[in-house]
Amino acid sequence: MAGMVEGVAAGVPFVAVPPVDPDAPAALVAGWHLMDAPAGERAMAEAVPMAGLQAWRVYFGLPLSGARLPGGGPEEVFRRASEDAVLNVFEPVTEQAAAEFPAALAELRDRLPGASGPLGVFGGSAGSIVALEVLARGDTGIAAAAVASPVVQLAPVIAANERRFGVTYTWTERSRAVAARYDYVDRAAELTVPLLLVAGADDDIAVREPAEALHGKLGAELVTVDGMAHEFPPGTPAAAGVDAAFTEWFARRLRG
């Protein structure tokens, strides 16, 4: 992508794509990728480029991915997930990514020319939990948010993964508390800025039903992409559907 900036901000790997007019003030839209495809910051930028926005688009790398994979690589992440997906993967990834966001954002505001306008956040699947958590914490002045293949309740997704991988997850008091914390239907009152939900028509019911519940509870905007399951790899019709929805949403919500 022309003009793409790649680097590290406050310890967080990122790629950033400049606005249409690099000489004019710009919004800043920042987000997090999936653990499924697109499973990295560059892949997310390719899948959801949001070209045409007068905004810097920043794609952060999640902890336990890309440059921050542990020793042993993806196999080690899978091993940790197989031992306890909630406590070994979802909780540490979400907590670290949400905690490191304010400092990374502040650094990028200084480093990216003209990135002084309104802030939007976005995410997909595991990255959507981070976006929702950042949104709920409310400490970075977010004007609008958008999530695709959204995990708005963690417990049903763990059940879906049990079906997917043919395993049984053993819940504990601690993991139930984590799942309760990542239940944004229950925490809907904390999501106080305009929110777009983008769901695949063919995604698992564990994703679609909670998204519909949050849509009903918040009055959030919900877009369903026909033919899309959970993933939206770069260059696919599913990615094009997510990209179109995100682009239109942020163009409308981040003016001024």
Side-chain angles (χ1 to χ4, degrees):
M1 292 182 185
M4 178 183 282
V5 177
E6 190 166 6
V8 177
V12 186
F14 75 91
V15 296
V17 183
V20 176
D21 182 353
D23 298 319
L28 193 154
V29 181
W32 298 267
H33 58 80
L34 294 70
M35 290 181 180
D36 299 301
E41 53 269 37
R42 184 175 284 272
M44 190 71 167
E46 292 171 355
V48 192
M50 293 180 271
L53 285 184
Q54 182 54 25
W56 279 96
R57 285 92 71 209
V58 176
Y59 305 83
F60 287 116
L62 287 172
L64 296 184
S65 74
R68 297 194 285 180
L69 278 170
E75 294 79 10
E76 171 62 13
V77 176
F78 188 82
R79 185 194 67 78
R80 294 184 191 186
S82 67
E83 287 188 353
D84 195 315
V86 174
L87 299 182
N88 291 347
V89 177
F90 283 107
E91 182 184 35
V93 166
T94 304
E95 290 302 305
Q96 182 179 340
E100 67 194 11
F101 176 60
L105 172 67
E107 185 172 321
L108 288 171
R109 288 282 202 192
D110 289 337
R111 286 172 58 180
L112 301 177
S116 57
L119 172 65
V121 297
F122 65 91
S125 191
S128 73
I129 313 178
V130 179
L132 291 167
E133 182 61 23
V134 165
L135 194 61
R137 293 183 183 190
D139 55 4
T140 51
I142 298 164
V147 287
S149 300
V151 178
V152 303
Q153 288 181 316
L154 182 57
V157 170
I158 297 302
N161 283 342
E162 288 181 301
R163 298 192 299 272
R164 178 182 177 186
F165 297 112
V167 298
T168 299
Y169 181 75
T170 303
W171 288 97
T172 64
E173 185 176 347
R174 185 179 164 208
S175 61
R176 287 188 189 283
V178 172
R181 192 161 76 245
Y182 300 149
D183 183 340
Y184 298 98
V185 176
D186 189 55
R187 295 174 64 191
E190 299 172 53
L191 307 176
T192 58
V193 307
L195 174 64
L196 171 69
L197 303 161
V198 181
D202 299 336
D203 204 346
D204 195 280
I205 196 168
V207 174
R208 290 186 288 107
E209 278 198 350
E212 290 164 4
L214 185 59
H215 162 63
K217 196 166 184 179
L218 273 183
E221 197 158 320
L222 174 63
V223 171
T224 300
V225 179
D226 289 338
M228 174 175 145
H230 194 70
E231 299 182 352
F232 44 94
T236 62
V242 174
D243 182 57
F246 277 20
T247 302
E248 190 278 333
W249 173 254
F250 285 123
R252 178 160 39 105
R253 291 289 178 175
L254 298 181
R255 293 192 183 100

